[in-house]
Amino acid sequence: MTSTRNGHPQHAEVDQVAETLASAGVRYAAISFVDMHGKPKSKMVPLAHLGQAAYGSEMFTGAALDGVPQDVNDDEVAPHPDLGRAIIMPFNREIAWFPGDLWIGDTPFEACSRQILKRVASDAESLGYTFNLGIETEFFLLSDSSGGPVPASPDDNLDKPCYDLRTMLHNFGVVDEIVTAMNELGWDVYSFDHEDGNGQFETDFTYTDVVSMADRFVFFRMMVGEIARKHGLFASWMPKPFADRTGSGAHFNMSLADAAGVNLFAADDDPRGCGLSELGYQFIAGVLRHAPAICAVIAPTVNSYKRLVKQGSMSGLTWAPIFACYGDNNRTNMLRIPRGGGRVECRAADSANNPYLGAALMLAAGLEGIREGLDPGEPNRDNLYRLSEAELQDRGITWLPRSLGEAIEVLDADPLARSVFGDAMFTSFLDEKRAEWNSYNAHVSSWESDRYLRFF
């Protein structure tokens, strides 16, 4: 039962939640929200004070954090814990983590990342849709050395480490602890492997509704980091930490379901042969219309665009998407329909994204495609890396942004993004990312020194 007090949600079940957690040995609640980057912030309260926290008793100065658009003289924001989504930390069972929504007094805070996603998810629900999302989590487990970061098992420096069983076994202790924790939380891991970078791993777990998946991704990054610390390692979510290895994506696997949970993207009689419904193709068309702007949010760092290249300082191709297009099982498209159909995978998203903002903009674009009945054209089934510029133009295939600076300018010009984020978050995001891009451009790198310091 939910009632209200002074405009705030009052959860009649708060005492029951606290009692259940206490019986499990929990002593503290971490009332959490994210900054603009998707990093969790929190105040801790003893479990006996969870009821007060449910009314927003724990206040934050938004101006002290990245991308919480407030001035120092503004009223403080307060996270209201989502009581039904508590996670007992597997790495510290005395603490329960609550994802929260930011409020100011009796009013939801418009620029809260989670509130932004919930608004778009509610828009989808008004049309009869539930947006389901799965995120493939890729990350590096590294240790520090005098020469810089090295893979978790530094002796495993292989030319072709992808899917290597021996390397997985050499890191099994830490990876098993991560997977065990995920399954303890009910996330249903169905596979995990060593990826194409030394020390790089991927875990795949079952999809769920978009807000729950965004919560899980935020918690997962924190959890992996804490478990890695126990093993003398650190986890890196940098999209491209090593120039000669593939980067870390966070592929979004997306579908819409009806009220009964039936997958509305699945189709047995798809004339285009991808196993996708007309609704799914309309969704794709909407995403492609806004793909360059979406990139600024799902690939949000300077480093992200060193992952989104066909070939850099690597011996082979990157498999990364660089074009705004779609296809079947072909991995050179930004949007891929995996074999069997029924879902759409966005391969441009990387492990540094704020999943609330990224999913909100992706969903809004897809809904626009559905409302307007857009058509994405025929799927691309060949290796797009091998096409000439003229051939790409003939097909109407455009490049994704090649730098954060380019992506930010496209985002600035896209009215959908402003309508989704609201003026305050939209302006804050642009300002933060422009400052990041300008700082990067002003930095003198070791590459420049190596090349030019004694050039003449």
Side-chain angles (χ1 to χ4, degrees):
M1 177 184 297
T2 302
S3 58
T4 61
R5 184 180 75 179
N6 298 329
H8 291 290
Q10 176 182 348
H11 300 272
E13 71 271 21
V14 64
D15 290 340
Q16 181 181 350
V17 170
E19 289 172 9
T20 300
L21 293 173
S23 67
V26 172
R27 299 174 58 213
Y28 300 100
I31 314 302
S32 187
F33 69 99
V34 299
D35 66 7
M36 190 191 71
H37 309 294
K39 295 191 296 184
K41 305 295 180 179
S42 178
K43 277 191 178 179
M44 294 276 200
V45 300
L47 199 57
H49 289 269
L50 180 60
Q52 294 170 248
Y55 290 110
S57 65
E58 302 317 303
M59 312 288 265
F60 295 81
T61 302
L65 303 171
D66 286 341
V68 179
Q70 286 197 304
D71 231 331
V72 293
N73 60 319
D74 288 335
D75 289 339
E76 292 178 310
V77 293
H80 288 212
D82 193 330
L83 292 174
R85 299 177 189 263
I87 295 176
I88 298 176
M89 295 182 176
F91 50 90
N92 188 337
R93 300 179 193 280
E94 292 187 322
I95 303 172
W97 180 82
F98 288 86
D101 298 315
L102 290 178
W103 287 58
I104 296 182
D106 298 339
T107 306
F109 183 49
E110 183 192 41
C112 168
S113 293
R114 195 169 187 265
Q115 298 265 35
I116 288 170
L117 175 57
K118 289 173 73 173
R119 288 199 296 267
V120 185
S122 178
D123 189 23
E125 289 169 3
S126 71
L127 299 174
Y129 306 134
T130 295
F131 184 44
N132 286 323
L133 179 65
I135 299 180
E136 301 173 37
T137 52
E138 294 181 345
F139 55 93
F140 280 82
L141 292 177
L142 305 170
S143 62
D144 288 309
S145 72
S146 58
V150 296
S153 52
D155 293 338
D156 295 322
N157 191 18
L158 307 179
D159 291 333
K160 295 288 186 180
C162 197
Y163 309 128
D164 190 73
L165 177 58
R166 293 167 301 171
T167 308
M168 171 59 78
L169 294 175
H170 297 167
N171 294 277
F172 187 73
V174 60
V175 176
D176 174 57
E177 189 169 344
I178 292 168
V179 171
T180 298
M182 296 170 73
N183 282 331
E184 177 185 315
L185 297 173
W187 295 1
D188 190 17
V189 177
Y190 56 84
S191 71
F192 54 99
D193 61 75
H194 191 281
E195 281 292 307
D196 202 36
N198 288 300
Q200 186 186 31
F201 300 87
E202 177 179 328
T203 61
D204 298 315
F205 55 106
T206 303
Y207 68 87
T208 185
D209 70 277
V210 65
V211 175
S212 295
M213 181 54 64
D215 290 341
R216 290 177 183 185
F217 187 67
V218 168
F219 185 83
F220 179 77
R221 284 190 296 207
M222 175 183 65
M223 179 173 73
V224 171
E226 292 304 303
I227 291 174
R229 285 181 72 246
K230 291 171 55 180
H231 292 261
L233 306 170
F234 69 93
S236 177
W237 305 93
M238 185 176 180
K240 182 80 168 180
F242 302 106
D244 61 345
R245 292 294 180 185
T246 54
S248 290
H251 302 163
F252 281 21
N253 289 272
M254 305 171 288
S255 62
L256 293 175
D258 65 15
V262 175
N263 184 352
L264 299 176
F265 279 10
D268 295 328
D269 56 351
D270 175 11
R272 306 186 214 207
C274 296
L276 198 69
S277 68
E278 192 61 27
L279 191 79
Y281 285 114
Q282 293 170 353
F283 186 95
I284 283 175
V287 171
L288 291 180
R289 172 187 277 183
H290 297 278
I294 290 172
C295 266
V297 184
I298 62 173
T301 72
V302 166
N303 183 253
S304 297
Y305 296 86
K306 298 185 177 181
R307 169 181 168 263
L308 298 179
V309 295
K310 177 170 68 174
Q311 187 171 9
S313 57
M314 300 175 61
S315 59
L317 300 174
T318 63
W319 293 19
I322 55 176
F323 304 112
C325 56
Y326 90 98
D328 56 0
N329 205 44
N330 176 3
R331 287 173 168 81
T332 61
N333 294 279
M334 174 193 180
L335 299 181
R336 166 180 170 250
I337 305 170
R339 183 169 297 167
R343 59 188 166 101
V344 176
E345 177 188 70
C346 177
R347 297 176 53 76
D350 68 41
S351 60
N353 83 86
N354 178 335
Y356 301 110
L357 297 182
L361 188 52
M362 191 88 70
L363 175 56
L367 292 178
E368 181 179 285
I370 291 170
R371 287 190 175 103
E372 298 185 22
L374 301 182
D375 187 342
E378 291 302 308
N380 298 285
R381 290 184 162 88
D382 45 353
N383 186 345
L384 301 180
Y385 290 169
R386 295 174 177 166
L387 299 188
S388 67
E389 284 294 331
E391 290 171 319
L392 292 170
Q393 289 178 12
D394 286 344
R395 294 196 192 184
I397 296 174
T398 58
W399 288 74
L400 293 176
R402 303 191 206 187
S403 70
L404 178 63
E406 182 183 339
I408 287 299
E409 294 312 312
V410 177
L411 181 71
D412 192 8
D414 192 314
L416 178 67
R418 183 181 288 274
S419 69
V420 170
F421 286 11
D423 287 338
M425 175 57 86
F426 185 74
T427 300
S428 180
F429 190 92
L430 287 173
D431 289 348
E432 179 75 20
K433 290 301 169 179
R434 280 200 175 110
E436 181 178 340
W437 177 243
N438 291 335
S439 176
Y440 171 72
N441 284 332
H443 170 68
V444 178
S445 68
S446 59
W447 184 94
E448 293 169 278
S449 298
D450 292 343
R451 181 169 177 84
Y452 300 123
L453 195 61
R454 301 177 185 271
F455 192 78
F456 297 102

